[in-house]
Amino acid sequence: MKLFDPTSTPRERAITLAPRLRDLRGLRVGLVENTKFNSDVILAKLGERLARQHGMTVSRMIRKRSPSHAVAEEAADELRRISDFVVSGVGD
Amino acid sequence: MGSVDYDPEELIEAYFERGWSDGLPVVPPTEKSIAAMLAGAGLRGDETIGEVVERGVIVSAEKLAINAVMAGCRPEYLPVVVAAVRGLCHPHFAYHGPASSTGGSAMVLIVNGPLAGRLGVNSGNNAFGQGARANATIGRAVRLVMMNVMNTRPSFLDRATLGTPGKYSFCFAENESEHPWEPLHVERGYRPEQSAVTVYASNSLCQVYNQLAAAPEPLLRCFADVLCNLGTPNLRGFNQSLVVFAGEHADTLRRSGWSKQDVRRFLLEHARRTVADLKRAGRRPGEIEPGDETTWKHAFERLEDILIVCAGGQAGSWSACLPGWGNKWTRSVTIPIDTRGGPP
């Protein structure tokens, strides 16, 4: 009798990292809130600190439907348009 | 596919050693049993059953069939397994959350329609318990697919704190012949003569007892109490729960003339806690303030978030509530069962 492998290997995807930022001064930061408890609080504080320390502005905080859902396409497009970089946070 | 020859006992151990089992011995597949399994659903091995996009996982019919054989399914069960896996892959189910979370959910499979009876999916006595091959192996096959194909392995992408015994298998049929109302799949737009499976994630099961109440109001107060206990997940919003009426409780509701919506309305109204209760239990932040003792928070926001089905034996004053994941994280999905493989 033979072994039959019941497993599958996930498809690999190439992910390209965004170029690293050289200077934080005056950048626009987008925030992605994942709906976990206190995620919005942590991100808001982070936004305040980035503004205070690096002169950044928070372009927008968007709220995902849930932690396990992707950012909605429309919201992602908007963030791309109005932000230099984005922070996604997890609370709990 | 391995090329080494094994004795039957060695083969079972070989599946354990490779981490391909759920902890129980599996039925070692053969080319013949895999082919028969695929034929049970009229599938070719290279067909795609579903995809979990966020994990880059594609479920092929061949892998599904191998896992179904391992689980002990008969070939005619495969259409149910296929529909259930399609449910897991449905975007509304949002697989990654309920499959991976510390909440450790069972994937509850509710089978409706004539196929349930023909396959022997138990809807009566001990519907949640042991003893029926279809219930035990269909649910087990789905869990093995989750582990082996969807990478949902304990301590890897399954991060359950405790889990639940229902994670081995949780499959039952609705008791449609003694149902006070229309069955779940009909409520969701399918014809009574169609068969379908509903996939619902739940991390626990609480049996509800009441032997005295002979009218809906006192009876349903017990359910409302269970549905809003302070340890219930999603009590602060997005709640979704499954209520399974059985035996004498179903009979009481049938005789009362209450509709399913009447039951939902009552439960929605009475499943509630005061803000003070929630604060005392640390389910809401902050100190108790004036008015908190008389300000109520309802466990459910929408009637449709209370799923109602009937199952179980005729005798007994037992039913059950199964808290879910909430409508924000995942939604139960009902998928029609394709029986193109032929009878039953």
Side-chain angles (χ1 to χ4, degrees), chain B residues 34-312:
Chain B
I34 296 165
M37 190 60 70
L38 286 167
L43 291 168
R44 296 186 322 272
D46 61 355
E47 289 186 58
T48 295
I49 302 302
E51 182 176 7
V52 183
V53 178
E54 62 271 29
R55 291 195 180 179
V57 162
I58 288 179
V59 184
S60 73
E62 184 202 19
K63 295 295 181 182
L64 190 83
I66 291 173
N67 281 283
V69 171
M70 289 165 58
C73 286
R74 292 180 59 84
E76 56 267 34
Y77 301 168
L78 196 66
V80 185
V81 179
V82 168
V85 169
R86 286 189 173 134
L88 295 181
C89 295
H90 194 286
H92 287 176
F93 191 76
Y95 178 81
H96 185 68
S100 310
S101 169
T102 50
S105 289
M107 300 306 167
V108 181
L109 312 179
I110 306 161
V111 186
N112 277 109
L115 191 63
R118 291 203 294 270
L119 297 181
V121 185
N122 185 16
S123 65
N125 287 353
N126 204 33
F128 294 166
Q130 82 291 3
R133 180 174 177 180
N135 299 47
T137 62
I138 291 170
R140 186 186 187 200
V142 169
R143 177 56 64 175
L144 286 175
V145 168
M146 290 175 63
M147 288 180 60
N148 289 327
V149 183
M150 298 176 170
N151 259 326
T152 314
R153 296 176 182 285
S155 301
F156 179 50
L157 288 179
D158 176 346
R159 309 298 297 182
T161 305
L162 276 172
T164 163
K167 289 179 73 182
Y168 281 97
S169 177
F170 201 150
C171 174
F172 67 97
E174 262 211 280
N175 189 343
E176 295 181 14
S177 60
E178 290 161 14
H179 209 301
W181 311 291
E182 75 279 15
L184 180 63
H185 73 309
V186 175
E187 190 185 334
R188 293 189 162 191
Y190 296 100
R191 298 187 307 278
E193 65 272 21
Q194 280 183 289
S195 296
V197 62
T198 298
V199 184
Y200 170 79
S202 174
N203 54 25
S204 56
L205 184 159
C206 180
Q207 293 213 45
V208 181
Y209 175 75
N210 188 325
Q211 198 171 26
L212 193 60
E217 292 92 340
L219 175 63
L220 292 175
R221 280 185 190 280
C222 292
F223 289 83
D225 191 53
V226 168
L227 289 168
C228 66
N229 80 63
L230 288 168
T232 299
N234 294 308
L235 202 54
R236 298 179 69 239
F238 325 110
N239 200 359
Q240 189 177 64
S241 283
L242 171 65
V243 178
V244 182
F245 290 114
E248 293 161 21
H249 295 166
D251 192 46
T252 297
L253 294 168
R254 185 188 305 106
R255 284 185 286 104
S256 74
W258 280 37
S259 69
K260 239 188 210 184
Q261 283 299 82
D262 292 336
V263 171
R264 286 196 177 100
R265 272 191 283 273
F266 186 94
L267 293 175
L268 188 140
E269 185 185 345
H270 291 86
R272 60 180 191 166
R273 308 293 301 216
T274 65
V275 171
D277 264 356
L278 297 169
K279 284 185 172 176
R280 269 191 289 270
R283 293 301 306 271
R284 286 178 78 91
E287 298 295 317
I288 295 173
E289 294 170 6
D292 283 352
E293 298 285 0
T294 51
T295 304
W296 294 90
K297 292 290 175 190
H298 291 264
F300 299 97
E301 293 157 341
R302 311 177 311 169
L303 292 176
E304 59 264 37
D305 287 326
I306 305 172
L307 278 63
I308 294 177
V309 304
C310 285

